[in-house]
Amino acid sequence: MAVGIAVTSHGGHYNGRITLFVVLSCMMAGMGGVIFGYDIGISGGVTSMDSFLKKFFPEVYKRMIEDTEISNYCKFDSQLLTSFTSSLYIAGLVASFVASWITKKFGRKPTILAGGAAFLIGSALGGAAFNVYMVILGRILLGVGVGFANQAVPLYLSEMAPPRYRGAINNGFQFSIGVGALSANLINFGTEKIKGGWGWRVSLALAAVPASILTLGALFLPETPNSLIQRSKDYGKAELMLQRVRGTNDVQAELDDLVKASSLAKTINDPFKKILQRKYRPQLVMAIAIPFFQQVTGINVIAFYAPVLFRAIGLGVSASLLSAVVTGVVGMASTFISMLIVDKLGRRVLFLVGGIQMLVSQLMVGGILAAELGDHGGVSKVYAFLVLLLICVYVAGFGWSWGPLGWLVPSEIFPLEIRSAGQSITVAVSFIFTFIVAQTFLSMLCHFKSGIFFFFGGWVVLMTAFVYYLLPETKSIPIEQMDRVWKEHWFWKRIVVEEPSNPKMETA
C-alpha cells in the first residue's frame, strides 16, 4: 500500500509519501462532502419544480402561474419555502457542537459514521414525504448528518495528508461538494421530465446513495494518528498507523510533534474557554471571519437558487435546471484546478485572484439585470446567455478560492488543544450565516432586485482586503508547527506575544 510520491515537508522535515492507503481513506471520507453538495444542489432544483411547489407550497405556485402583476424578483418570496432550504442549517449548527465532543472523545471516524447514518434516514423521509412537515423533518435530519460530516471530514483530511500536499487533499472536500451538487443538478434535470409529478421524490430519495456509501465506508476508515494519540497513551498503535499513512518507518520527528501537541491538549479541560485566550486570537478571528466571508460571497444565490434565479429572468424549467448543471460543471472543474495548484501557488494568491474574479462578474451581472430585467417579462436570449456566462465566471472564481480554501485554511491552523473547538466554531458560523442567507435571500431578491449582486459584491471587496492584510501563507507548514506563521506576521505577532506581566493568561 505504500505506493506514492515521496515528500518531505519544507517546514517540518517530515518523511513520507502520498500512499494509496491515504488516497483511498480520503476518498471515502470525502463522501461527506458529496452528501453536503448533493443537498445544496437538490434543494434548489426541487423548489423550481411545478409538481413540488403545487404539493407543498401551493401559494408560491399560484403566484408564479396566475399572478401577472407580481414582480419577477418576488415570485418565489415565501418564508415557508425558504424554511425548506434553511431548516437543514439550524440542525447542522446544533449538531456541529455535539459532533465536536464526539470528535474529541471518540475520534473522527465515529463522527463521520454518525453523520452518514443521519443523512440516510433524512433522505428516506424526504423521498416518502406526504406533507410539508415531513419534508422539513427530513431536512432537519439531513442537517444533523451534514453538521457531523462538516465537523469531522476536513479535520480528517488535514490530519491524514502529508504537509506538502495538505492543500490538494483537503480541497478534495470542496471538490466532493462540487461532485454532489453536479450530480444533484443532473438528477433534477432528468426527474423534472418524469410524468406524473413524482420526480421530486426520486431527487430527494437518491440522497440515500452517497449517504449509504459514506455510512458503510466509514466502518472501514482508519482513525487518524492525531486522534489516536489524543485519545490514548498507547503511542505504539499511533506510530504504526503513522508509518502506514506515510509509507515509511522513519516517522519519529512527526510522531514527537504529535505527542507533544497531544500532551498539551490533554491539560486543557475546556477548549472553548481556551480558544478565547489572547495567544489564540488569530485562530479565533479566522474561525469566525473565513466561514462568514465564505457565505457572503453570494455563492448561495447560485448554489441554492440557481434554477429559481434563471426562471426569474425568463427561462423555462428545463432550461433553468440545465443552466444549473452548467454552473455545477464549472464549479467542479475549477475546484479540481485548485487542487492541482494550491500547494504550488499558495492560499493567498488563490484567495486574491478569485476575489477579483467574483467581484467583476457580480458587478456585470447586476448591471445587466438592472438595465434589462424589469418587474415583468424576461430578458432576451442573448442577455440570458450572457448572464449564464458571467455566473460561470463567478462560480469558477469561487471554485478555486473561497470554496475550497474556506474549508482548508480553518482546518489547518488550529493547534491540537483547541482543534475540535476551533472546527466547531468554523462549522457553526458557516451554518449560522448559510441559514441567514438562505432564509433571507428570496426576500432580499424581491426588495433589492438586481442590487442583490452589488450587495454581495461589496462583501467580496471587504473579504479580499481582509485576506491581503491579515491572512498569512500556510502552505507546506506542518499543522503542529503552524503557530509560527502568526508570530512572524506583521500584525498578529503583536497579539500572540506572551505577556510576562500576566502569567495567569497561560494557566487559566
Side-chain angles (χ1 to χ4, degrees):
M1 285 292 187
V3 178
I5 305 169
V7 298
T8 301
S9 168
H10 296 308
H13 305 292
Y14 295 161
N15 296 311
R17 61 183 71 185
I18 298 180
T19 63
L20 183 59
F21 182 70
V22 167
V23 171
L24 293 176
S25 299
C26 291
M27 285 177 64
M28 184 54 64
M31 290 303 294
V34 174
I35 65 173
F36 187 27
Y38 187 89
D39 178 80
I40 290 172
I42 222 68
S43 57
V46 296
T47 52
S48 72
M49 294 183 187
D50 291 347
S51 57
F52 181 81
L53 292 173
K54 195 183 299 184
K55 184 173 182 62
F56 297 113
F57 307 98
E59 78 285 354
V60 177
Y61 177 75
K62 184 177 180 181
R63 187 190 309 157
M64 184 179 66
I65 299 298
E66 299 177 6
D67 192 343
T68 58
E69 299 298 319
I70 194 167
S71 168
N72 279 317
Y73 295 99
C74 300
K75 288 180 178 179
F76 293 89
D77 184 16
S78 164
Q79 287 302 304
L80 187 60
L81 179 60
T82 52
S83 294
F84 164 76
T85 298
S86 58
S87 56
L88 179 145
Y89 300 99
I90 288 296
L93 168 64
V94 175
S96 67
F97 288 102
V98 178
S100 171
W101 178 79
I102 295 175
T103 300
K104 182 179 179 182
K105 188 77 174 176
F106 300 103
R108 283 59 167 152
K109 174 180 174 176
T111 312
I112 295 172
L113 177 63
F119 201 90
L120 185 59
I121 298 170
S123 62
L125 273 176
F130 53 81
N131 61 43
V132 70
Y133 303 106
M134 195 171 172
V135 167
I136 292 179
L137 177 60
R139 294 283 296 169
I140 290 172
L141 284 171
L142 294 177
V144 172
V146 168
F148 273 63
N150 285 11
Q151 163 70 22
V153 171
L155 287 184
Y156 187 93
L157 297 176
S158 284
E159 291 178 347
M160 291 291 279
R164 188 178 171 188
Y165 291 97
R166 187 176 60 244
I169 290 178
N170 195 284
N171 278 10
F173 182 66
Q174 180 66 28
F175 181 73
S176 298
I177 293 175
V179 171
L182 177 60
S183 300
N185 289 331
L186 288 167
I187 288 168
N188 281 334
F189 181 66
T191 58
E192 185 271 330
K193 302 178 185 302
I194 295 176
K195 294 181 180 178
W198 49 271
W200 60 268
R201 290 191 184 276
V202 178
S203 292
L204 294 179
L206 282 177
V209 174
S212 297
I213 297 172
L214 179 64
T215 305
L216 294 174
L219 295 173
F220 302 97
L221 279 179
E223 191 55 87
T224 70
N226 311 59
S227 182
L228 290 172
I229 291 173
Q230 186 179 30
R231 295 181 294 108
S232 171
K233 293 182 179 179
D234 182 10
Y235 298 151
K237 185 177 180 181
E239 183 177 9
L240 289 174
M241 179 56 69
L242 191 58
Q243 289 171 346
R244 192 177 182 192
V245 166
R246 298 292 178 248
T248 177
N249 291 328
D250 186 9
V251 295
Q252 194 61 47
E254 185 170 3
L255 182 66
D256 288 345
D257 278 349
L258 293 178
V259 171
K260 181 181 177 182
S262 177
S263 298
L264 177 60
K266 287 175 181 177
T267 66
I268 308 302
N269 295 321
D270 188 348
F272 285 98
K273 183 179 179 180
K274 186 74 175 176
I275 201 173
L276 297 177
Q277 292 185 5
R278 180 180 177 124
K279 68 176 181 177
Y280 300 119
R281 194 63 46 78
Q283 292 94 330
L284 180 60
V285 169
M286 296 302 161
I288 296 171
I290 289 177
F292 166 72
F293 282 138
Q294 186 188 48
Q295 297 312 314
V296 295
T297 54
I299 189 60
N300 291 331
V301 175
I302 308 304
F304 295 149
Y305 300 114
V308 172
L309 183 65
F310 288 128
R311 288 201 73 176
I313 65 174
L315 298 179
V317 179
S318 290
S320 298
L321 292 173
L322 182 59
S323 297
V325 170
V326 173
T327 59
V329 170
V330 171
M332 192 174 73
S334 58
T335 303
F336 182 74
I337 293 172
S338 178
M339 291 173 63
L340 300 178
I341 62 177
V342 66
D343 290 310
K344 295 182 177 67
L345 299 182
R347 285 65 162 147
R348 282 171 51 85
V349 170
L350 294 183
F351 267 130
L352 297 174
V353 171
I356 294 170
Q357 186 174 335
M358 288 190 293
L359 176 63
V360 172
S361 54
Q362 280 177 316
L363 295 180
M364 292 182 70
V365 169
I368 290 172
L369 295 185
E372 299 296 327
L373 183 64
D375 287 330
H376 306 285
V379 300
S380 68
K381 288 185 177 180
V382 173
Y383 281 111
F385 176 78
L386 184 56
V387 167
L388 174 60
L389 180 63
L390 288 170
I391 285 177
C392 286
V393 172
Y394 164 81
V395 168
F398 180 85
W400 51 55
S401 62
W402 282 93
L405 302 183
W407 294 107
L408 167 61
V409 173
S411 73
E412 66 184 358
I413 62 174
F414 303 116
L416 188 60
E417 65 267 22
I418 59 166
R419 190 166 298 158
S420 62
Q423 185 67 13
S424 280
I425 293 171
T426 298
V427 174
V429 171
S430 179
F431 278 136
I432 288 170
F433 287 99
T434 302
F435 171 80
I436 291 172
V437 171
Q439 192 67 28
T440 60
F441 169 66
L442 292 179
S443 181
M444 289 172 65
L445 180 64
C446 179
H447 291 90
F448 284 21
K449 300 182 180 178
S450 59
I452 191 75
F453 289 94
F454 299 108
F455 171 79
F456 287 118
W459 284 111
V460 172
V461 172
L462 284 178
M463 66 185 72
T464 304
F466 175 87
V467 167
Y468 183 79
Y469 289 108
L470 295 177
L471 181 67
E473 185 54 68
T474 57
K475 72 171 182 175
S476 298
I477 299 174
I479 293 179
E480 308 307 344
Q481 298 180 15
M482 194 64 71
D483 61 329
R484 76 178 195 228
V485 304
W486 312 110
K487 294 176 182 177
E488 296 169 359
H489 187 266
W490 73 272
F491 177 78
W492 294 118
K493 66 182 180 181
R494 293 177 290 182
I495 306 294
V496 300
V497 171
E498 299 178 8
E499 298 181 13
S501 60
N502 188 13
K504 292 183 180 180
M505 182 68 73
E506 292 304 310
T507 59

